[in-house]
Amino acid sequence: MQNDQDEVPTASIAVWIGLTLATCLSFWGQAVVTEERFVPALNVVANLFSIPDDIAGATLMAAGASSPELFSSFVSLFITHSSLGLGTIVGSEIFNQLVICAGAVYAAKSGSLQLNPAILIREVGFYALGIGLLYYALRDSAPDPTDPSGENHIYISFGESALVFGGYVLYVIVCANMEKIVSLFDKGTTRRDGMAHYGAIGNFSKHVLVGSDIRHSVKIDSLPFLQNQSLAHQEPAENFHELYLGRMTERASIFQRTGSSTISEDVGNGSFGGSARGTSLLEKSLRHTDLFRLMVNEVKPSDQHGLYDMEINKVEGRLSCFMWQRSYFYNKARMATHGWHLRWFTLTNHKMVSVPDRTDFEKHRIVYPPFTEVSVDEARLIIRIENEVGKRNFYIMAPSAEILATVVQKMDDTMQGHEEVERRATNGTGDSEDLDATEAAEDHVPLIELPVGGSNMEIALFFLLFPLRYLIHHTIPDVRTLDHHGNPTATLPKALLASTSCLVWLIVGSYIMVASLEALAALMDIPDAVVGVTVSAAGTSLPNYVASRVAAQNGFGNMAVSNAFGSNTFNIMVGLGLPWMLYTSIGTGFQPYHGLRDEGILQSVIVMASVLMVFVVLVSLSKFLLYRWHGIVFVMMYAGYLAFAIGQVYL
């Protein structure tokens, strides 16, 4: 910290406002670029190179999800030479562990989260190792002869930084061989293929079309089709409870509370009618303007249907309902806000189609290829539609067990219908249905599309941020495009171009964030590390918090908690270890780096270890169950940590 005699810099109100806006915009920009562009592009690269899910999740996808923290560490070390990057990562560790875990358990509608012991032990164990290695690397503190203030500086050697980074290499190896490792300790649950299940077990059934008949396999206690699929097989079945859509119609909210399905039967073609949803005051004022009509075709499926609605047309043999479909562009990411997206499905005796719950939905209709095999996990309400080799398999999650059973039964009819249509077309006795009658589909809502049905704040922020949205949309290619059968159309060159563009945006955004926060810290006479562990840590971690809440709402609460610790491990071992290792080799010629002032960051590391010990004790006593009272304790602990960090400056 500076001497008391040093004059504190002053600035005008305009400078304060400008720095604050620059900080907020950099937070928002990095979050959007990471979630909407960088993670999907890396996911496409991982899929095209067939990188195993566990390895991709721990390397490429982890780097993408934690890119704000990683680049802030690089910028503060190589460019601004401050401790803000270190403070950001240390503060993010505590935020992730406490606030994200609290948010996940509160998002679980059952009021509790069942944690997977094997996965939690792995993640917590490596996080504890990371804390130990970080303490070891930061333990050397001595006065810097070149600093006239005489304050202590932290000395970090190449060997110490390489040891920190090497811990993550070990972590990747363990992730890649987790099944084999668990099988050594749990021989009783070894699968027939020699691989052990370390996820919760659920009933699994398979429906296969053989000739013109559907054959059902006997239920077994396994989940083979979700093996290595975004860690879904590691999710305890207890967390897959009643799900909800979010902003639905008033009628839908009643269904959410009762958990029942409403079945409507009709004899004609249904159509999407007038809007039944609530409309914000700002949207009402814009609705009759030319700009609104130009930007929006306002009708979408949720305007007419609730989440638990099923439409059954017995005359046409048609079933329609809402289900979630897993996005191809986030299937290797451990956590993503857009990992599952809601679609309105229609199944007939001959085909299955779906449209997204968005405006102009017919432009993005998917006509699914004929399929002859369906796998069902009843505990998690998940269906896998299996296609020919080389074609995409689809993962669908039903809102309720009743809808799941009805859809699976209808899929049996659809598979038989596919066989009948193909046989008639082959014999020349009938015309095959035109399955190519739709345009190419977008898998996700574009950045520049108006959020119809949003709150006043959401719509106002959309217009305020529209210039930045427009710039991101047109300077970074969006790889999230599908053909009319739902297969991805992005190529490797496009994915690499998108990744490169994202890197430029993230580097610039990180520099703006670091420079603005350092300037604000100087104006407030607060050490950079303190600003890092408070403001910067919360700003860069908020996207992870949102993604974790969404995951917990959809039944993946264990994944949200495990991802919080996995992100912490990456942030310490790669976010700090890699920049330190590069700087002590390239920047200092293998001499110890001593540019970090000892501003109490080591005390925060001790707090990290203490918080982790409390978490382990609480989870052990509750037998790997998290309750909402745990969330209250976690939030109170985080508030106490903030008070401690700020108190170091003023007390």
Side-chain angles (χ1 to χ4, degrees):
M1 189 183 300
Q2 295 178 345
N3 294 331
D4 295 338
Q5 291 82 8
D6 291 346
E7 183 179 352
V8 178
T10 59
S12 64
I13 297 297
V15 172
W16 282 88
I17 295 175
L19 291 174
T20 303
L21 285 177
T23 301
C24 294
L25 288 175
S26 65
F27 284 151
W28 181 87
Q30 290 180 87
V32 169
V33 169
T34 298
E35 176 73 16
E36 302 282 344
R37 294 293 190 270
F38 198 31
V39 170
L42 294 176
N43 203 101
V44 169
V45 172
N47 279 319
L48 291 176
F49 282 102
S50 300
I51 301 176
D53 288 7
D54 285 331
I55 297 177
T59 54
L60 280 179
M61 308 314 298
S66 298
S67 54
E69 292 92 340
L70 178 61
F71 283 105
S72 69
S73 180
F74 269 105
V75 169
S76 62
L77 180 61
F78 282 87
I79 300 177
T80 64
H81 305 291
S82 74
S83 58
L84 190 137
L86 173 60
T88 298
I89 287 181
V90 171
S92 295
E93 307 295 278
I94 299 175
F95 183 96
N96 290 346
Q97 182 181 340
L98 296 177
V99 179
I100 287 182
C101 290
V105 71
Y106 264 90
K109 297 181 73 177
S110 64
S112 64
L113 282 180
Q114 177 66 56
L115 303 179
N116 184 311
I119 298 301
L120 189 66
I121 290 172
R122 182 191 72 187
E123 301 299 342
V124 170
F126 272 97
Y127 177 44
L129 175 63
I131 293 176
L133 293 175
L134 180 61
Y135 184 89
Y136 177 76
L138 298 177
R139 75 192 189 287
D140 291 334
S141 177
D144 182 2
T146 62
D147 187 353
S149 67
E151 294 185 12
N152 283 352
H153 283 233
I154 296 173
Y155 286 73
I156 303 173
S157 68
F158 174 80
E160 292 167 344
S161 57
L163 188 61
V164 174
F165 180 73
Y168 202 77
V169 177
L170 177 62
Y171 174 74
V172 173
I173 294 174
V174 170
C175 288
N177 297 277
M178 187 63 182
E179 292 276 3
K180 296 179 181 178
I181 293 172
V182 174
S183 67
L184 297 176
F185 297 92
D186 194 359
K187 299 291 186 180
T189 59
T190 302
R191 283 170 42 194
R192 296 172 185 172
D193 59 3
M195 301 294 282
H197 274 291
Y198 52 97
I201 304 303
N203 288 331
F204 160 76
S205 61
K206 186 181 289 286
H207 300 235
V208 183
L209 178 65
V210 179
S212 59
D213 299 324
I214 299 293
R215 294 186 181 178
H216 297 193
S217 66
V218 179
K219 295 178 181 178
I220 56 176
D221 286 336
S222 65
L223 192 59
F225 68 84
L226 282 179
Q227 194 67 24
N228 294 328
Q229 295 295 338
S230 301
L231 305 183
H233 67 294
Q234 302 165 8
E235 190 69 38
E238 293 86 344
N239 295 336
F240 286 80
H241 46 74
E242 179 187 352
L243 308 176
Y244 75 97
L245 172 60
R247 186 182 299 105
M248 290 291 291
T249 64
E250 181 180 355
R251 183 161 55 99
S253 65
I254 298 175
F255 299 149
Q256 292 160 16
R257 288 192 293 270
T258 62
S260 61
S261 297
T262 292
I263 302 175
S264 60
E265 298 184 4
D266 60 81
V267 295
N269 292 325
S271 61
F272 297 112
S275 175
R277 58 178 166 79
T279 304
S280 66
L281 182 62
L282 182 56
E283 183 178 329
K284 288 180 180 178
S285 64
L286 294 171
R287 186 173 297 278
H288 301 293
T289 64
D290 292 336
L291 176 62
F292 188 91
R293 285 191 289 268
L294 179 64
M295 298 179 67
V296 175
N297 179 355
E298 62 176 303
V299 179
K300 57 183 182 179
S302 60
D303 294 335
Q304 184 70 18
H305 305 282
L307 179 62
Y308 295 93
D309 283 0
M310 286 190 291
E311 280 193 353
I312 299 177
N313 187 314
K314 293 183 177 180
V315 174
E316 298 180 0
R318 186 182 73 238
L319 167 67
S320 298
C321 63
F322 273 121
M323 290 188 290
W324 284 275
Q325 180 172 294
R326 193 185 66 177
S327 173
Y328 169 87
F329 302 102
Y330 298 91
N331 62 0
K332 291 185 181 294
R334 292 186 169 186
M335 192 63 53
T337 305
H338 305 308
W340 295 78
H341 49 101
L342 194 72
R343 301 184 71 91
W344 178 256
F345 283 79
T346 298
L347 294 91
T348 68
N349 292 333
H350 304 290
K351 66 179 179 179
M352 182 175 77
V353 301
S354 73
V355 295
D357 185 42
R358 56 180 290 192
T359 58
D360 292 325
F361 52 86
E362 281 296 341
K363 292 182 179 179
H364 311 289
R365 181 165 60 107
I366 292 177
V367 181
Y368 295 85
F371 51 91
T372 58
E373 186 172 333
V374 170
S375 300
V376 183
D377 178 51
E378 298 175 9
R380 296 166 181 80
L381 308 179
I382 294 178
I383 304 169
R384 185 177 85 160
I385 300 173
E386 304 188 27
N387 288 308
E388 301 174 5
V389 177
K391 292 186 178 180
R392 174 189 176 189
N393 294 325
F394 294 90
Y395 292 82
I396 299 169
M397 182 162 54
S400 69
E402 182 180 0
I403 292 177
L404 177 75
T406 306
V407 168
V408 170
Q409 183 178 6
K410 186 61 185 177
M411 283 183 172
D412 289 348
D413 298 336
T414 303
M415 285 191 288
Q416 290 176 317
H418 285 158
E419 178 70 16
E420 176 66 22
V421 170
E422 184 177 344
R423 183 170 59 253
R424 290 167 56 189
T426 302
N427 296 334
T429 58
D431 297 328
S432 61
E433 294 191 47
D434 181 14
L435 299 180
D436 299 328
T438 59
E439 304 174 14
E442 289 179 327
D443 198 35
H444 296 273
V445 178
L447 282 173
I448 56 176
E449 183 172 308
L450 184 69
V452 177
S455 64
N456 291 332
M457 179 63 71
E458 289 173 330
I459 295 177
L461 287 176
F462 172 83
F463 284 107
L464 288 174
L465 296 170
F466 187 80
L468 193 54
R469 286 176 174 270
Y470 186 86
L471 194 59
I472 294 174
H473 182 76
H474 288 285
T475 57
I476 306 178
D478 192 352
V479 300
R480 301 173 300 176
T481 54
L482 304 171
D483 63 16
H484 46 268
H485 286 316
N487 296 308
T489 60
T491 60
L492 181 60
K494 184 177 181 180
L496 294 177
L497 176 60
S499 300
T500 304
S501 302
C502 288
L503 289 175
V504 174
W505 270 90
L506 290 169
I507 292 172
V508 173
S510 296
Y511 177 77
I512 294 173
M513 180 194 76
V514 170
S516 300
L517 286 174
E518 287 177 356
L520 288 171
L523 290 175
M524 294 183 290
D525 193 27
I526 296 177
D528 294 336
V530 174
V531 175
V533 300
T534 53
V535 180
S536 182
T540 55
S541 298
L542 278 176
N544 286 335
Y545 171 79
V546 174
S548 297
R549 282 188 59 88
V550 171
Q553 289 166 356
N554 287 335
F556 295 96
N558 172 75
M559 191 185 299
V561 174
S562 299
N563 181 71
F565 288 100
S567 296
N568 284 357
T569 302
F570 180 90
N571 289 341
I572 291 177
M573 296 181 176
V574 179
L576 293 177
L578 180 59
W580 288 346
M581 189 173 66
L582 293 176
Y583 194 83
T584 52
S585 59
I586 300 174
T588 65
F590 295 96
Q591 296 299 314
Y593 167 62
H594 54 84
L596 296 175
R597 289 184 175 181
D598 189 356
E599 298 174 330
I601 199 69
L602 202 59
Q603 286 84 343
S604 292
V605 176
I606 296 174
V607 171
M608 288 166 53
S610 302
V611 168
L612 180 61
M613 290 179 61
V614 173
F615 179 88
V616 170
V617 170
L618 291 177
V619 170
S620 300
L621 292 176
S622 63
K623 298 181 180 179
F624 293 92
L625 268 172
L626 280 183
Y627 298 98
R628 288 188 174 176
W629 68 265
H630 285 122
I632 296 175
V633 173
F634 295 157
V635 171
M636 292 176 62
M637 290 173 64
Y638 185 71
Y641 168 71
L642 291 180
F644 166 77
I646 297 173
Q648 285 184 301
V649 178
Y650 296 104
L651 297 180

